Amino acid sequence: MVIFGASGDLTARKLIPSLFNSCRKQRLPEDINIIGFGGSPLTDEEFKNHLLEGLAKYAAFRFTKEQWQFFSRRLSYLQGSYADLESFKKLDTALKKIEGGPANRLFYLATPPTVFANIIDLLGETRQLEENNFWRRVVIEKPFGTDLASAKELNQKIHRVLDEDQIYRIDHYLGKETVQNILVIRFANTIFEPLWNRNYVDHVQITVAESVGVEHRGGYYDNVGVLRDMVQNHLLQLLSLVAMEPPASYTGNALRNEKVKVLSAVQPINSLQAVVNHTIRAQYQGYLDEPNIDPASTTPTYTALRLFINNWRWQGVPFYLRSGKKLAEKSTQIIVQFKEPPMPMFPLSSCQNCTPNTLVLYLQPDEGIHLRFEAKVPDTVAETSSVDMEFHYADSFGPSAIPEAYERLLLDALQGDTSLFTRADEVETTWGLIDPILNIWEQDQAPPVSIYPSGSWGPEEANRMLQQDHRDWLIGSKEHIRHTT
Ligand code: NDP
């Protein structure tokens, strides 16, 4: 395995802790070698020490000196340039020496995206991607493009030297246990799926809320904004898993076919009127004072969207998506709100308290599931009250049951399972939904960016968008589901 950009943050924070933990669990191939490649001048020892410091900071597990020694024997570092053919020849020679014969190779692109195409080009030119009784795979970090045109261009470039099944575009959200659990809830149970459609579901809300601001990422974030940073990848991935049809099998292409199918059925927001009606953008108060932010920046740090899916299952059911920084709490959740009973059978006074059934899938923190339903209040004639049924991963499987998302994804890439990686057509379909909104937001006639207070649940306009539909934003937490309006 070769990691490009190995001196960087992702390698120390996520990749090495995940690989090391898999090694401790005896899940890594025994004969694996991990070669860090980068421009920084590092010896093997300096590289290992840097990674060990990272483990002390970022690893969520305790380990012994012996375990580290066993793992770190597999690590080495090679200095080179991402733009220099000679460096890639040197890499090939070094790999052949380590391998001592035909061997599989996994290349991980943990560099800024500006050099992705270059690295793949040079790997192709030095014939390191040709498969011949052994496999060659490339994991590509996000972001994959900055719009539809750049994503297509990058796809075209990499398809010159790689087949689609050699490419592993990573969105670490898909490696989270609870995201995969969406599929298990839907397709390993029979009680939910019959209700999972326009006949019973009133609407769906997907919230990815962060409590922090841009922190040290200001320079990057100001050019990107929330739609590119969160919606194009994470929120649309969640939407596709919640809304897709059951795949014929749990295999990479069957799953991804269904995801692409449902994403293609999302009604595009591609006119000024649609943008005015169905999108909200806002910036947190104080954003302009953050380091490396243009003082006149209009980059949104919050967005809310109302999406519709034009297919039989979901016709007319709104999917409300929202994501923002500096919100009241850090929480990722999907809420499926069911329709109210067709007839108010109980006396009017009690029905005023009647709340629709709601299913919450908590993705983070406190991963779990919450179902709210109505029950009779004891010692009344027919008064009802909402009660809650909860499942929390930590309670059922222990507090450290949930592994780091990268652990699963790295093992999948090594084993050739593409299910949790994004395919070319999928990434282009999601950019195709985001691009028109971004373009219309740039126009003078577009509604201006509004400002919301830090620590709030976003701008008033987002509340109004739901209130127009006689609904409210909801957030679930242990023991209750509340409005955030
Ligand atoms: P870094 O900024 O830490 O860069 C990684 C390495 O790439 C650096 O150590 C440096 O290595 C090299 N590098 C940096 N800037 C440039 C440049 N302009 N041109 C060429 N090489 C450069 O990035 P991260 O490790 O944070 O992220 C790597 C990738 O992973 C990015 O695509 C990012 O979006 C993605 N990612 C990161 C996450 C994280 O938690 N950090 C989370 C999710 C995704 P050297 O100088 O030694 O060559």
Side-chain angles (χ1 to χ4, degrees), residues 111 116 150 249 279 376 389 397 427 441 482:
T111 61
F116 289 168
S150 58
S249 62
T279 77
K376 181 176 173 293
M389 210 184 234
F397 299 108
V427 89
W441 277 355
R482 62 186 198 282

Side-chain angles (χ1 to χ4, degrees), residues 5 7-10 13 38-40 77 82 110-113 115-116 141-143 172 406:
S7 60
D9 182 64
L10 180 74
R13 185 190 290 268
S40 304
Y77 185 82
Y82 310 119
T111 61
V115 290
F116 289 168
E141 258 300 336
K142 65 160 208 158
H172 62 270
Y406 278 92

Side-chain angles (χ1 to χ4, degrees), residues 294-308:
D294 174 357
S297 172
T298 56
T299 299
T301 60
Y302 174 99
T303 190
L305 305 176
R306 183 200 283 117
L307 295 177
F308 289 95

